[in-house]
Amino acid sequence: MPATFPSSSTLTASDAVQDYRRRGWTVAETANGVCLITDERVAAVELTGPLAAEVRRFLRANNLSGPVIEIPGAERREIHLVVGAAKATLAIEALRGAGATVHTDGASIPLPPTRLSNGAAAWDISPTQARWIPPLVAIAAAVNAAAPARHRRLAEVAC
């Protein structure tokens, strides 16, 4: 039976740390809150702007959504937690080529509840809402599927 995960709005930082660790995640407490430390089990893909919106639609339509952290700011910015980065070198290269930031090998990712300079990190899809943590290649497929849609729209506007 999967562990239950309370809403981030009801968690203190120490409660969150315990819950994240029960999930097998490597986390650290900082002055601003809690951070995921990416490792061989969990990594992250950061997307911004229209690409983030297109990827989100693709993942939902194909029932592939996993935990997503929303980072406040002027432009849409979200971080998708993923697994399988160690075996996805080509997918990582493709994601980076498409403008995504891939966080692996000890990168620090803010987890709710974490205070940032422009607001607070928040779960858009919490770990309890997600049925799984998708493989990195699923995000790469979503980015690949979103690319033609962006080019079609640009061509339609140009005509």
Side-chain angles (χ1 to χ4, degrees):
M1 181 162 136
T4 59
F5 193 82
S7 162
S8 62
S9 63
T10 63
L11 290 178
T12 66
S14 62
D15 290 338
V17 167
Q18 290 174 9
D19 285 327
Y20 294 139
R21 286 186 177 146
R22 277 193 287 267
R23 293 180 174 282
W25 300 355
T26 303
V27 295
E29 289 185 80
T30 69
N32 294 325
V34 183
C35 291
L36 169 72
I37 307 302
T38 60
D39 56 22
E40 66 282 349
R41 288 176 286 171
V42 180
V45 176
E46 184 173 341
L47 303 167
T48 57
L51 178 59
E54 290 291 332
V55 166
R56 179 69 68 82
R57 278 191 278 283
F58 177 91
L59 293 172
R60 281 190 178 143
N62 291 286
N63 197 25
L64 296 172
S65 298
V68 178
I69 302 163
E70 207 171 83
I71 304 296
E75 183 176 44
R76 180 185 193 117
R77 185 171 155 215
E78 54 191 38
I79 299 174
H80 296 258
L81 299 187
V82 295
V83 296
K87 296 180 180 182
T89 306
L90 293 177
I92 291 171
E93 289 175 21
L95 283 166
R96 288 181 174 148
T101 303
V102 182
H103 301 279
T104 60
D105 301 323
S108 179
I109 306 299
L111 292 173
T114 296
R115 295 166 304 288
L116 304 170
S117 60
N118 56 348
W123 286 114
D124 191 52
I125 300 175
S126 75
T128 54
Q129 293 171 315
R131 67 179 180 87
W132 70 337
I133 297 179
L136 183 137
V137 295
I139 306 301
V143 167
N144 187 48
R150 286 197 319 263
H151 295 310
R152 276 194 308 274
R153 279 195 209 109
L154 290 175
E156 289 170 2
V157 170
C159 293

